[in-house]
Amino acid sequence: MEPVLVDFATRPAELANAVVRQHRCVIASSYVAVAAGGYLKVSFTVEDEEDVAPEAALRVTVLGAAVPVDLSLNDEVLTEGLSLPDDGDPGGVREYVMTMPGKALRQGVNVLRIRNAGTADLGGDSLLRVRTVAVEAAEDAGRAAAEHVRAADEGRGTVRTFATERRTLDAPVWEPGPRLLLRLGQEGEELPARLSWRATDGAESAVAFRGDLSGFQGHFRTADGAIGELRGTLTERRAVEDVTAEAVGQYFAAEEEHDGMWRAAGQLCLLLDDDGAPVERVTWSDRKGDATSLTLRTAVTGGSGPAADGERRDVTGEVSRVEASDEFREWGEVAANLLLKDNDKWLAHRNRADLEFVFGGPFAVTAYTLTSANDFPDRDPSDWTLEGSRDGKTWKRLDARQNERFGGRFDTREFSFANAVAYRHYRLSISANSGGHETQLCRVRFFDGGDTPPQPGVCDFIGYRQRAGTEPVGYRGTIVPGPALGPEDEEGAEAAEPLLAGDFTDTARRLQDAARLLDRLTRNLRS
């Protein structure tokens, strides 16, 4: 028989061979809430009589408290008052699984009814939160269950994107906030239940996730001290390799301290990007009660570290797009030309204009250059400001110039300023030019302070871990390359295996033993 699937965890809901009707139900972000006495009717079709399986398996996934359920198929009662045992997790995921005799199905349209058999009780949670419904041949159920487990395991290697909203203290309405990219933890660990982080500019956030990680509720404090509420909804799940151009997670060879000895503790992946400044401290816990907290030596996202030996880095190539308040499209004198290395230019038909440069990730720009265009010196900018923004909405002034002059055509001038905060958006607002009716530039380039090169054997985070029911232990890690996508790289050479920090301890011990042996041999030879 053709499988039936209803998935309310996506928007819009995914329906396969199913039509859904409802009574006393409300659509939520990742489930349908069925009130006491309400029900869902799932209609599906069995094409031919020979497609009717000897047995069919029904799986209904619900969230939250255990609520009694009545199930019927084609007005025939399958079960009444079925309730799963309470596992003590009020936000957990539960699954009703049962086998239906093939004779209960019929050729043509079949109707499955899922009814909330509970009673309205103001002292308890009487809502039945249905997330998925599936009907399939019983022989396929085992394979589907294995696929479900595999998908859950792969989900731990998935980057989740959350759309967020913010409401500052005493504000009447929620406002859209920056998106949040998230992946953290080690292979085999539970997904986070609570998460808090602090950025290098002092901004802080703390959230608690729903049981299925479909959203969160929390609070925040901005870098300038404003506080408010924070909430988010899962909008996308993507494989890690699909987001590396947008935000690159860090991989660490982790160690735990037991009885004064550091021991290898697997590999930790950390990707937390909220379009703000780089993260410097992260704390999280899962539903099993395991807790982890760490402070990073360097920022997770690139482009904000201190300069290496006084060098700086040209990050213009990281600009994903540039937008102008005005440009001369008819002659191809558009803002995109500002990122090229040839002599094409950008021209605006007015004496003031705005240019917004959007980077693929946050960068702490500390210098920029402007190159004058090919003609008409009176079109050269003379007064302007450079601003930075994490979300493209709230801007901070970084640099301001007045009465500037260029030495000639295609003259490049550099402007530096102090900045330690990484922004994704930079806006050059030209408020005056050198007297002309139009404004133009040939080229714009951006520079940050550069990155400190990784130092082998130096820990890049320090913190603690505590397994549920056990004592806390020290936790530290060193940055290593991420897992290879295949056995060989593009050059055909073997991919390098990440070296755990714990390996250095064993190597040093063996070297010390060898040194002692050589010392004894030397003394014996002399004697």
Side-chain angles (χ1 to χ4, degrees):
M1 61 174 291
E2 182 181 354
V4 178
L5 175 64
V6 178
D7 187 354
F8 295 113
T10 62
R11 286 290 170 267
E14 180 182 355
L15 302 176
N17 187 25
V19 176
V20 181
R21 296 177 175 82
Q22 58 85 20
H23 173 63
R24 290 176 54 81
C25 298
V26 175
I27 299 177
S29 59
S30 63
Y31 57 85
V32 168
V34 184
Y39 57 79
L40 290 172
K41 279 188 176 180
V42 181
S43 301
F44 60 95
T45 303
V46 176
E47 293 292 342
D48 302 311
E49 189 171 344
E50 55 267 24
D51 288 339
V52 177
E55 287 186 335
L58 168 65
R59 298 200 318 273
V60 181
T61 302
V62 300
L63 304 175
V67 176
V69 174
D70 293 343
L71 299 172
S72 64
L73 178 64
N74 299 326
D75 295 328
E76 295 290 333
V77 175
L78 299 176
T79 184
E80 291 183 325
L82 176 64
S83 183
L84 296 178
D86 191 345
D87 59 3
D89 184 0
V93 180
R94 298 175 173 84
E95 190 172 50
Y96 296 84
V97 181
M98 65 180 304
T99 300
M100 304 182 297
K103 63 182 180 180
L105 296 170
R106 60 191 181 199
Q107 182 182 356
V109 177
N110 293 261
V111 179
L112 171 70
R113 191 174 81 154
I114 305 167
R115 179 178 178 274
N116 183 344
T119 58
D121 181 5
L122 296 179
D125 188 350
S126 61
L127 290 178
L128 174 66
R129 297 172 174 85
V130 179
R131 184 181 182 188
T132 63
V133 179
V135 180
E136 57 200 336
E139 60 186 14
D140 297 330
R143 291 194 296 270
E147 179 68 16
H148 179 74
V149 172
R150 184 191 65 79
D153 288 339
E154 290 185 351
R156 296 187 175 94
T158 299
V159 175
R160 288 171 167 79
T161 303
F162 294 87
T164 70
E165 293 180 296
R166 295 187 172 204
R167 183 168 63 184
T168 56
L169 188 65
D170 300 327
V173 296
W174 289 88
E175 297 288 344
R179 66 94 176 90
L180 172 68
L181 289 179
L182 177 65
R183 181 195 173 198
L184 54 83
Q186 293 178 297
E187 184 178 358
E189 289 189 341
E190 293 295 319
L191 297 171
R194 288 162 293 278
L195 171 69
S196 63
W197 66 96
R198 176 186 169 88
T200 54
D201 62 356
E204 297 181 281
S205 301
V207 300
F209 290 92
R210 298 171 187 154
D212 59 350
L213 230 69
S214 62
F216 59 76
Q217 185 76 32
H219 54 88
F220 69 91
R221 179 187 295 272
T222 64
D224 57 10
I227 63 175
E229 299 173 85
L230 173 65
R231 66 185 183 187
T233 302
L234 180 65
T235 58
E236 192 174 21
R237 290 185 289 257
R238 289 182 287 172
V240 174
E241 56 268 21
D242 293 336
V243 298
T244 51
E246 185 174 357
V248 180
Q250 292 282 3
Y251 293 85
F252 301 87
E255 295 179 287
E256 292 181 1
E257 185 181 27
H258 296 272
D259 300 324
M261 295 291 295
W262 288 97
R263 303 175 184 176
Q267 191 176 84
L268 170 71
C269 176
L270 176 59
L271 169 56
L272 201 165
D273 181 6
D274 62 355
D275 280 349
V279 172
E280 66 179 10
R281 187 173 68 229
V282 187
T283 299
W284 72 92
S285 60
D286 60 32
R287 294 193 174 277
K288 294 187 301 183
D290 296 348
T292 305
S293 181
L294 52 90
T295 296
L296 293 131
R297 178 187 297 274
T298 56
V300 173
T301 45
S304 63
D309 299 326
E311 296 180 0
R312 65 178 185 177
R313 184 175 56 170
D314 186 341
V315 295
T316 312
E318 302 296 334
V319 176
S320 60
R321 71 177 189 273
V322 55
E323 299 176 356
S325 58
D326 186 47
E327 56 189 6
F328 193 9
R329 295 183 181 180
E330 291 80 358
W331 280 34
E333 295 174 344
V334 295
N337 294 337
L338 295 170
L339 304 178
L340 305 178
K341 294 184 178 181
D342 54 29
N343 290 332
D344 290 339
K345 69 181 181 182
W346 156 78
L347 174 69
H349 296 290
R350 57 193 66 187
N351 60 4
R352 58 177 59 202
D354 290 340
L355 295 164
E356 182 178 346
F357 300 85
V358 183
F359 286 74
F363 289 86
V365 170
T366 58
Y368 62 100
T369 64
L370 304 181
T371 302
S372 60
N374 61 323
D375 56 9
F376 300 106
D378 60 356
R379 295 177 179 175
D380 295 342
S382 64
D383 298 2
W384 66 81
T385 59
L386 181 70
E387 300 170 294
S389 173
R390 294 191 293 269
D391 56 8
K393 299 174 182 177
T394 302
W395 297 89
K396 180 179 180 180
R397 177 176 293 190
L398 303 174
D399 188 42
R401 304 285 168 166
Q402 289 183 330
N403 300 317
E404 297 290 344
R405 293 293 182 267
F406 290 83
R409 302 304 86 208
F410 302 117
D411 179 35
T412 298
R413 296 197 56 195
E414 179 175 325
F415 306 92
S416 301
F417 55 93
N419 176 43
V421 179
Y423 299 102
R424 288 192 65 194
H425 304 258
Y426 287 87
R427 183 169 65 189
L428 183 67
S429 297
I430 302 170
S431 55
N433 62 16
S434 298
H437 297 292
E438 297 172 310
T439 303
Q440 64 185 21
L441 277 172
C442 176
R443 193 155 48 250
V444 178
R445 306 203 71 77
F446 295 94
F447 303 86
D448 73 353
D451 286 332
T452 301
Q455 302 179 31
V458 175
C459 291
D460 293 293
F461 76 74
I462 193 72
Y464 68 82
R465 300 190 76 195
Q466 185 173 26
R467 303 283 185 181
T470 66
E471 299 297 323
V473 297
Y475 191 48
R476 69 185 187 186
T478 304
I479 291 179
V480 295
L485 299 180
E488 296 184 350
D489 60 18
E490 295 180 357
E491 302 296 328
E494 293 185 1
E497 293 182 317
L499 179 63
L500 294 179
D503 293 343
F504 291 115
T505 302
D506 296 334
T507 301
R509 187 181 300 112
R510 288 194 294 270
L511 289 173
Q512 290 171 352
D513 292 341
R516 295 191 190 98
L517 178 60
L518 287 173
D519 184 59
R520 284 199 218 81
L521 289 173
T522 301
R523 287 199 301 269
N524 289 337
L525 288 172
R526 288 176 177 173
S527 62

